[in-house]
Amino acid sequence: HSFDGRTRRWNVRHYEGWRSALAEGRDPVEGEESLSEGQVHLEETYLGLRSGTGVLIPSRNRRLAEECEKRGWLRREGDRWVATIEGWLVLDRLVVSLTDVGSPY
C-alpha cells in the first residue's frame, strides 16, 4: 500500500500476479482511491496515533484526550499525543472520538 497524502494505492494481492505484471513491464497497481478532506484527516490521525510522532489534538477535544490518558489509552509527548499499547486495542474508537466523526464515549 502507498499513500501520497491524497490517494491510497495498492498492488496486486498475490505474488505471482505482481511478479508477472513487473516481468511484462506493467504497473502492478490493482486499485486506488482518492480520499476526501475528512478521510485524509482520519488517516493522519489514525497513523499519527500509531507512530512515535503522535498527533496534535485540537483544543475542543483536549478534555477527551486527557480522559483517554487517565484510562491509559493515550500518553502525552510534549504537545502531541500517542496511543499506548492499551490504546491500540481501542484505536478505532479513539480516532472517531478525537476527530469529531462520531459521538464521544
Side-chain angles (χ1 to χ4, degrees):
H1 286 78
S2 67
F3 179 64
D4 66 7
R6 176 62 68 197
T7 303
R8 185 182 298 132
R9 297 169 39 133
W10 54 93
N11 287 339
V12 174
R13 181 178 189 132
H14 298 287
Y15 172 74
E16 190 54 41
W18 175 83
R19 191 191 65 70
S20 294
L22 289 177
E24 295 167 9
R26 292 183 292 116
D27 190 344
V29 171
E30 184 171 57
E32 68 179 37
E33 61 184 338
S34 294
L35 304 183
S36 69
E37 290 292 323
Q39 290 170 315
V40 168
H41 181 60
L42 281 172
E43 187 87 3
E44 289 170 346
T45 303
Y46 196 90
L47 295 174
L49 286 173
R50 290 175 38 200
S51 73
T53 305
V55 295
L56 294 170
I57 302 291
S59 58
R60 68 181 177 278
N61 291 338
R62 190 67 42 87
R63 250 167 93 194
L64 178 59
E66 290 168 352
E67 179 60 33
C68 291
E69 183 179 36
K70 288 178 189 171
R71 293 178 184 212
W73 296 341
L74 294 178
R75 74 173 181 277
R76 214 179 309 210
E77 306 242 339
D79 62 345
R80 302 183 78 79
W81 296 80
V82 177
T84 63
I85 293 170
E86 293 81 8
W88 278 54
L89 299 174
V90 293
L91 191 59
D92 290 344
R93 185 174 170 188
L94 288 174
V95 170
V96 167
S97 295
L98 293 170
T99 57
D100 299 325
V101 170
S103 59
Y105 309 104

